Amino acid sequence: KPEPSDSGEEQGLDALIYNKIFEAEFHDALFISSGGDDVIGNLSLALAILTKAFKGVSILQLKDRDVKTEDERNQFIAESTYKRMLKRREIENYLFDSEVLTLYCSSTNATLDETKYNEAVTDIQLQDLKPVQQKVKESCSFNGNVSDFKLKLSEFVTAETETYKEFKGCIFT
């Protein structure tokens, strides 16, 4: 959701997750949901204006990779110093990494059901994981809704994990 709540709070789930993951190391970073590709046309102008208005503040555009090839990803990033793109398809491909799920399961004294997980997730890099998120959730015996599951998993994408290091590299370097 690109619009804030009535109290001005971020409502975009991805933005909430990004803020949770990077709050410890990048406490001065703020992720804001823009609503996807429908705002891209005006983004260059908005970034130019905001960069002038807020001297000393870096404003970046972060996009999901979706179905883009590595060459298309590299071309997008090369277009401007403010453009970033994930190496993996989208945020779920980081949250549903077996490293993160194993850490979550350990915290609940559960064990990741690798058979169920491997049936659902065949390519952690580029697979569209939205259709299998329920199965991934079940592989960890999580009983809440998928949004709560993703928010919970964000707590386990920490600076010590390889998942975090890759994620961080896509955005901050």
Side-chain angles (χ1 to χ4, degrees):
K1 297 180 181 178
E3 300 85 20
S5 69
D6 291 340
S7 63
E9 299 290 319
E10 176 63 54
Q11 295 190 102
L13 181 61
D14 286 8
L16 293 171
I17 291 169
Y18 282 117
N19 285 315
K20 181 73 178 160
I21 290 171
F22 294 109
E23 68 186 353
E25 185 174 358
F26 299 97
H27 58 277
D28 56 350
L30 176 63
F31 292 85
I32 300 169
S33 177
S34 66
D37 284 338
D38 54 336
V39 299
I40 298 304
N42 298 321
L43 187 63
S44 294
L45 175 61
L47 286 174
I49 292 168
L50 290 170
T51 301
K52 287 179 183 179
F54 297 103
K55 299 228 184 284
V57 173
S58 296
I59 301 171
L60 306 174
Q61 174 191 10
L62 175 63
K63 287 185 51 106
D64 291 339
R65 178 174 176 170
D66 296 322
V67 296
K68 291 181 178 47
T69 66
E70 188 65 19
D71 286 343
E72 290 170 320
R73 178 182 176 274
N74 291 335
Q75 181 180 1
F76 174 81
I77 294 168
E79 289 174 2
S80 174
T81 58
Y82 71 82
K83 291 187 173 190
R84 305 289 191 275
M85 185 177 287
L86 298 178
K87 286 184 181 180
R88 300 184 190 188
R89 184 182 180 103
E90 54 197 343
I91 198 168
E92 288 81 5
N93 297 72
Y94 292 90
L95 295 173
F96 297 163
D97 190 289
S98 62
E99 175 187 38
V100 176
L101 296 174
T102 299
L103 290 170
Y104 164 74
C105 289
S106 294
S107 78
T108 64
N109 294 320
T111 303
L112 176 63
D113 183 336
E114 291 184 32
T115 301
K116 191 176 281 190
Y117 174 78
N118 290 331
E119 287 173 2
V121 179
T122 57
D123 180 357
I124 196 60
Q125 297 291 320
L126 300 175
Q127 180 183 352
D128 180 2
L129 296 177
K130 286 197 168 81
V132 298
Q133 15 189 36
Q134 188 66 31
K135 290 180 183 176
V136 173
K137 189 178 77 129
E138 290 168 6
S139 74
C140 292
S141 303
F142 187 86
N143 293 322
N145 65 48
V146 171
S147 294
D148 289 343
F149 182 53
K150 291 178 190 179
L151 282 168
K152 188 64 179 171
L153 290 177
S154 70
E155 298 173 20
F156 297 91
V157 183
T158 61
E160 299 78 32
T161 64
E162 293 303 313
T163 305
Y164 178 92
K165 292 171 188 168
E166 179 184 318
F167 219 176
K168 173 184 164 182
C170 294
I171 301 167
F172 295 103
T173 55

